Each structure stands twice: as C-alpha cells, then as structure tokens.
Amino acid sequence: MVSPVTVVKSEGPKLVPFFKATCVYFVLWLPSSSPSWVSALIKCLPIFCLWLFLLAHGLGFLLTHPSATRIFAGLVFSALGLLMFAVTHVLYASAFGMRPLALRTGLVMAVLSGLCYALLYQCLSGAFTYLVGIYVALIGFMGWRAVAGLRLVGAAWRWTELAAGSGALLFIISDLTIALSKFCFPVPYARALIMSTYYAAQMFIALSAVESREPVEDYRQSKAN
C-alpha cells in the first residue's frame, strides 16, 4: 500500500499547474453574465492542466491502462461543453469498472438518485423532465461504480479508490447545486460552490487514474472471462 506522504511527494508537483489555474479562475472571477472565449478558456484551464497531469505519466502509461485512458477521454469531453458531461460520466463509469459489483451500494445510490430527482421533478417542465432524469441516472451510475470498490480499512485499501469515490460524490454535489439553482431556487454562493466542487471532483478522478486498476493484459483477460 502506497502511503499518502509518498503520493503527495510524487504527484503533488505534477498538480501545481492545476492549482495555479484554479486560483486564476477564482481570482479573476469573470462575470458569468457576459460569456466570452476568454472566460471559457479560463474556466477550462484547470481541466487542461489535468490533461497535462495524466500526460506527465507518459503516453505509454495511458496506452497500457484502459481505465486511465477513459478518464483522460472523460476530461477531454468535459471541456467541450455542457452536453458532453453525459459522455464524461459514461467514460468515468467504464474506467471504474464493474468489479466488484456491490449491489447494496448500487441500491443505496439508486435511492439517493431517486430522491434527488424527486426533489427536482416538481421544478422541471417539458423536455427537461426527461433529460434531467436521464442525467441523474447516468451520474448516479457513475457514482455507484466509483464507490463500489472503496475499502477504508484492511490490506485491500487503496488511496486511488478513495480519490475516485470522493471525486464522484463531489461531482454529484456540484451538479445538484447547478440543477437546484437553475430550476428550483437561488442557492447562496452557488457559483463558488459549483466550481470549487467541480474542480476538486475532476482532480480526484484524475488522481484515481494514477494507480490504474487494470493494465491492458489484465483488462483483456477480464473481458475474455
């Protein structure tokens, strides 16, 4: 098991550009009421830095670890626009894999997703009634796969699984805040809460790829089985 101190020493320097880009976003705090290509670039800059974070581990690492490749692809899609987040969640769920299945965890996540949708449902109308429902199902599924393999004690504990679970939960908080503020009622400090949890979520999910779950040979064997 890799100690947290070792992780910070090895991965911390690679994340410095991400932290700097995140600080730039919050320091500039460009008004969302007047969007421009500059504000879009600054908003996406921390995600671009997470691309570089994964690329810093080498193309060979990405090419030989399917789950890391999918997380990298998810980060790419998440920078392309709001509609691409559904693709991002599918890629992340695929990266986290279906082992262990953890049906009880899935049931808990399904109940929580249902409660979130029930909270939003009364505020939705038209196509959003169905689109939000589909999105809630996708992000709930991604959250299930992220926390399914999480073990907090014992020899099987891995910090990357904790990072994946933390990232997924923060992503859910960020998106739920977006939905509440857009469809239901103003959320105090919504933008700060949305962006801080979003950037933290993407960072944790990117970190989860470092100690990737399956090298390509193991991945092919699991598919064959």
Side-chain angles (χ1 to χ4, degrees):
M1 181 178 66
V2 182
S3 71
V5 174
T6 303
V7 173
V8 171
K9 287 182 178 179
S10 63
E11 305 302 332
K14 300 186 187 76
L15 283 171
V16 168
F18 165 78
F19 288 119
K20 287 183 176 179
T22 302
C23 288
V24 167
Y25 173 82
F26 283 105
V27 168
L28 293 180
W29 201 246
L30 296 177
S32 56
S33 57
S34 55
S36 65
W37 69 268
V38 175
S39 60
L41 177 63
I42 291 173
K43 183 178 180 179
C44 291
L45 194 57
I47 306 304
F48 297 156
C49 292
L50 291 179
W51 296 3
L52 297 177
F53 167 74
L54 289 180
L55 289 172
H57 292 83
L59 283 175
F61 170 78
L62 290 176
L63 293 174
T64 55
H65 293 79
S67 60
T69 304
R70 290 187 181 116
I71 287 174
F72 180 80
L75 287 168
V76 171
F77 274 101
S78 67
L80 295 179
L82 185 61
L83 294 177
M84 293 294 103
F85 277 112
V87 179
T88 295
H89 294 318
V90 171
L91 287 166
Y92 286 167
S94 177
F96 299 145
M98 294 301 295
R99 298 183 302 173
L101 193 56
L103 287 176
R104 280 187 289 187
T105 303
L107 179 60
V108 171
M109 190 60 69
V111 170
L112 292 175
S113 298
L115 291 173
C116 289
Y117 183 64
L119 175 64
L120 296 170
Y121 181 80
Q122 59 186 338
C123 307
L124 303 173
S125 61
F128 284 113
T129 304
Y130 310 102
L131 294 175
V132 171
I134 293 170
Y135 189 85
V136 168
L138 284 174
I139 196 171
F141 179 76
M142 185 274 290
W144 169 34
R145 298 322 310 154
V147 302
L150 181 59
R151 297 175 181 84
L152 297 177
V153 293
W157 182 87
R158 292 201 305 177
W159 68 267
T160 46
E161 291 171 350
L162 180 60
S166 300
L169 293 176
L170 285 168
F171 222 133
I172 291 170
I173 292 171
S174 178
D175 283 356
L176 180 59
T177 306
I178 292 174
L180 288 173
S181 60
K182 179 178 178 61
F183 298 115
C184 297
F185 51 82
V187 177
Y189 309 105
R191 186 180 170 193
L193 178 60
I194 290 165
M195 297 310 300
S196 59
T197 51
Y198 169 68
Y199 287 142
Q202 294 282 40
M203 181 194 69
F204 280 127
I205 291 174
L207 274 169
S208 75
V210 172
E211 191 179 300
S212 194
R213 288 160 175 74
E214 292 180 313
V216 69
E217 289 136 1
D218 294 339
Y219 176 78
R220 286 173 181 161
Q221 289 176 5
S222 69
K223 286 291 186 185
N225 296 331

